[in-house]
Amino acid sequence: MATFEFHIRWKEEIVCTGPGGQFILEFGMGIPTAHLPTQEVWPKKAPAWAHELWPQLHDELKAFCAGHGYNFVVEERAQVF
């Protein structure tokens, strides 16, 4: 069973809903691309409830993107809102 649900919003955002609430990741629309922070910086940017969930988020977001034809990148500078 999936830990996260994903919803694309028109403001270049992907809303991630998990067991402790929601957060938003960047989602570029020119070339549809989800941006996830690296595992090393994730605890500095993510809500506290999601700190240990990076591996699940990574795998589920990667699969979501692949299933919809979106690009997926992991980069240190990616933002979490």
Side-chain angles (χ1 to χ4, degrees), residues 1 8 12-13 22 30 39 41 44 49 54 58-59 65 69:
M1 180 171 207
I8 307 297
E12 298 193 344
E13 300 172 337
Q22 292 184 333
Q39 189 169 11
V41 301
K44 298 174 188 168
W49 64 264
W54 189 92
H58 174 274
D59 293 349
C65 289

Side-chain angles (χ1 to χ4, degrees), residues 2 5 11 34 36 38-39 42-43 47 50 55 68 70-71 75 77:
E5 293 180 15
K11 292 185 177 185
L36 178 66
T38 62
Q39 189 169 11
W42 178 249
H68 289 85
Y70 304 146
N71 292 327
E75 56 189 352
R77 67 175 185 81

Side-chain angles (χ1 to χ4, degrees), residues 1-4 6 36 50-62:
M1 180 171 207
T3 302
F4 291 94
F6 306 104
L36 178 66
H51 285 181
E52 301 300 320
L53 297 175
W54 189 92
Q56 292 93 335
L57 175 61
H58 174 274
D59 293 349
E60 292 177 21
L61 184 56
K62 184 176 181 179

